């Protein structure tokens, strides 16, 4: 953790990061390990996630709140998927977004939450970060290691997939 703290200038931000680190590191590792099925790779994903969190620390409000928890889980999941993606790229295999990510239980209200839960992880994550956590496309691009145009296209695809899922579920649009 000392390495991370050296990357942060203000004492207030150091304190906030330390609280995030202590509260969420095991959860982030668990998420990454479930996706990667390799402890060493999961540690790499968590490290990359913490570096990303440091870069966006000013966007984190309270440490102990649902928004922060969803943010750190999404970032850890994304970094784990990026590791898989880089390996698939090297091996020439295709990566199907629908097959990766953590499973979330269906909320059971037969509405928007159910439709979101049925989306591929990548789509669900970008929609939550954009519309629930309030990050703009420029911030998402930096956070996810993508171009702003790629983020916009991903959001468009995610919204289209959500619309189709809602129509499939018989929800009125």
């Amino acid at each position: 953790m000392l390495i991370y703290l050296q990357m942060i200038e203000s004492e207030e931000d150091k304190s906030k990061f330390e609280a995030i680190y202590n509260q969420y590191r095991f959860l982030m590792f668990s998420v990454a390990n479930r996706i990667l099925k390799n402890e060493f790779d999961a540690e790499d994903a968590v490290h990359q996630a913490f570096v990303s969190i440091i870069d966006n620390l000013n966007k984190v409000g309270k440490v102990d709140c649902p928004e922060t928890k969803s943010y750190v889980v999404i970032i850890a999941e994304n970094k784990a998927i990026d590791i898989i993606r880089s390996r698939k790229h090297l091996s020439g295999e295709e990566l199907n977004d629908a097959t990766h990510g953590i499973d979330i239980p269906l909320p059971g209200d037969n509405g928007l939450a159910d439709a979101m839960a049925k989306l591929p992880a990548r789509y669900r994550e970008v929609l939550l970060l954009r519309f629930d956590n309030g990050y703009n496309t420029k911030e998402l691009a930096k956070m996810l290691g993508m171009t702003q145009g790629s983020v916009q296209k991903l959001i468009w695809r995610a919204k289209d997939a959500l619309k189709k899922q809602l129509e499939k579920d018989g929800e009125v649009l």
Side-chain angles (χ1 to χ4, degrees), residues 27 29-37 42 101-103:
L27 174 63
F29 178 80
S30 174
V31 166
N33 198 33
R34 254 186 279 161
I35 293 168
L36 294 165
K37 297 173 180 47
I102 58 171
D103 293 325

Side-chain angles (χ1 to χ4, degrees), residues 156-173:
W156 182 85
R157 288 179 181 164
K159 287 177 10 181
D160 187 54
L162 180 59
K163 179 182 175 188
K164 288 178 182 174
Q165 186 63 50
L166 286 167
E167 289 171 351
K168 182 180 173 185
D169 291 347
E171 294 295 323
V172 178
L173 298 179

Side-chain angles (χ1 to χ4, degrees), residues 131-149:
F131 298 108
D132 188 43
N133 291 21
Y135 292 100
N136 64 37
T137 55
K138 185 177 181 179
E139 294 167 329
L140 287 172
K142 182 180 174 186
M143 209 180 301
L144 302 175
M146 301 169 72
T147 66
Q148 199 169 348

Side-chain angles (χ1 to χ4, degrees), residues 74-93:
I74 288 169
I75 295 301
E77 185 176 273
N78 252 323
K79 296 304 178 182
I81 291 170
D82 287 346
I83 289 173
I84 292 171
R85 211 176 249 119
S86 69
R87 288 196 186 126
K88 298 292 182 183
H89 177 70
L90 292 175
S91 68
E93 295 177 37

Side-chain angles (χ1 to χ4, degrees), residues 100-139:
H100 295 285
I102 58 171
D103 293 325
I104 60 172
L106 294 178
D109 66 358
N110 296 324
L112 181 61
D114 282 345
M116 286 284 292
K118 293 176 186 174
L119 290 177
R122 191 100 169 138
Y123 290 167
R124 184 177 61 245
E125 291 167 350
V126 76
L127 289 175
L128 288 172
L129 286 171
R130 174 69 181 100
F131 298 108
D132 188 43
N133 291 21
Y135 292 100
N136 64 37
T137 55
K138 185 177 181 179
E139 294 167 329

